[in-house]
């Protein structure tokens, strides 16, 4: 066999491997965030009830920050799970939702119709979302007591995700457990 | 430099734009609102990828997230941050993915090196093929010459016999 019959196909192999590696991330929006393991960006935002909340005011409690919008269809499926989660872990994990690119009236109507009374922040021009590198909604961040981002979920949370990450969040109180 | 030559040089990008060509009208002056800040914001926004679009910069994207990101760029540039500082802010949050052109280091180098390697490899293959063809032609030449000489000899013999009745 002539050598070029082997060499030419082999020359294309690296390109095929590169494409296969690139296709590993099927969803181009699901690129891993570089924020995991870093300090959670601080914020000072107005809540749905008219108060102002800062990250530093949340005390020594792990925080779950959920970005959502009333126009987001997957957020409707996610909401009952968050209601259950908030009731189950109240006092141990602080759930904070962030209303992304939406109006206060839509947010108020949402909670009136679907339940839930946890803190909800307004982010009308997306400043907080950009600070957290949000690409779309829903996205959820699990933040440790020492205010480091333990995990980022760029999709609707599921029972499996909560079962996996909430125990880790409760145990993660030192820098050694970050980024797992 | 002749007008035609200068136009060709401009099209090839080898000559800095030194103003309008003769016979061309001068470009209209930028609108009054187009300040140095606007130009800097456009420059930085053109480098940043819109996270919810397909290969569009936040400068070109009509999405709300791109609009918000442009506002952040404007605020930071207005505060005196350099282009690198603004880009760094977004890279820290979205990763290098947010840059329209990946910086040339690590795995990203493949993006820059692969086309050059492909072009050089292709040129080498073409060179080898051309060399092989010319060698084959050269090897075939003596046989053709021999055949032509044989034909000529027969023609001469026939001519020497004179015309047939």
């Amino acid at each position: 066999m002539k050598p070029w019959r082997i060499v030419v196909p082999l020359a294309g192999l690296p390109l095929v491997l590169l494409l296969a590696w690139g296709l590993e991330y099927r969803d181009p929006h699901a690129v891993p965030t570089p924020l995991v393991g870093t300090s959670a960006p601080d914020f000072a935002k107005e809540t749905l009830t008219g108060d102002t909340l800062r990250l530093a005011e949340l005390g020594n409690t792990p925080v779950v920050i959920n970005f959502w919008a009333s126009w987001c269809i997957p957020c409707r499926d996610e909401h009952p799970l968050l209601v259950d989660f908030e009731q189950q872990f109240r006092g141990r994990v602080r759930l904070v939702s962030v209303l992304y690119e939406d109006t206060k009236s839509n947010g108020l109507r949402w909670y009136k119709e679907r339940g839930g009374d946890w803190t909800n922040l307004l982010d009308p021009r997306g400043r907080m979302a950009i600070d957290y590198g949000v690409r779309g909604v829903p996205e959820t961040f699990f933040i440790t007591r020492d205010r480091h981002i333990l995990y980022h979920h760029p999709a609707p949370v599921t029972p499996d995700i909560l079962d996996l990450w909430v125990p880790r969040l409760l145990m993660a109180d030192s820098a050694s457990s970050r980024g797992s | 430099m002749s007008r035609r030559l200068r136009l060709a040089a401009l099209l090839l990008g080898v000559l800095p734009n030194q103003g309008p060509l003769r016979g061309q009208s001068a470009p209209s002056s930028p609108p009054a609102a187009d300040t140095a800040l606007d130009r800097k914001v456009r420059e930085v926004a053109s480098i940043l990828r819109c996270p919810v679009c397909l290969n569009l910069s936040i400068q070109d994207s009509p999405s709300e997230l791109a609009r918000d990101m442009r506002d952040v760029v404007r605020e930071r540039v207005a505060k005196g941050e350099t282009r690198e500082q603004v880009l760094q802010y977004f890279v820290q949050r979205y990763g290098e993915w947010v840059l329209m052109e990946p910086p040339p280091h690590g795995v990203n180098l493949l993006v820059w090196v692969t086309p050059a390697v492909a072009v050089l490899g292709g040129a080498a293959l073409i060179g080898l093929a051309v060399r092989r063809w010319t060698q084959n032609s050269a090897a075939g030449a003596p046989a053709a010459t021999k055949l032509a000489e044989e034909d000529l000899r027969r023609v001469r013999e026939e001519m020497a016999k004179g015309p047939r009745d």
Side-chain angles (χ1 to χ4, degrees), chain B residues 3 7 9 17 20 25 27 38 58-60 71-72 74 76 78 83-84 105 109 116-117 120 134 140 145 147:
Chain B
R3 183 185 171 205
L7 179 61
N17 194 349
S25 61
D38 292 328
I58 61 169
Q59 175 63 29
D60 298 327
D71 289 347
V72 172
R74 176 172 291 276
R76 290 186 166 265
R83 172 185 128 135
E84 279 65 35
H105 63 76
L109 271 176
V117 169
L120 290 175
T134 50
T145 309
L147 186 64

Side-chain angles (χ1 to χ4, degrees), chain A residues 58-92:
Chain A
L58 292 173
N60 188 32
T61 311
V63 180
V64 171
I65 297 181
N66 172 255
F67 288 84
W68 70 284
S70 67
W71 43 260
C72 154
I73 304 299
C75 299
R76 295 179 189 178
D77 299 332
E78 185 188 54
H79 188 76
L81 190 63
L82 292 178
V83 172
D84 291 345
F85 163 73
E86 200 275 333
Q87 286 172 353
Q88 188 183 348
F89 288 94
R90 185 173 291 181
R92 289 183 290 164

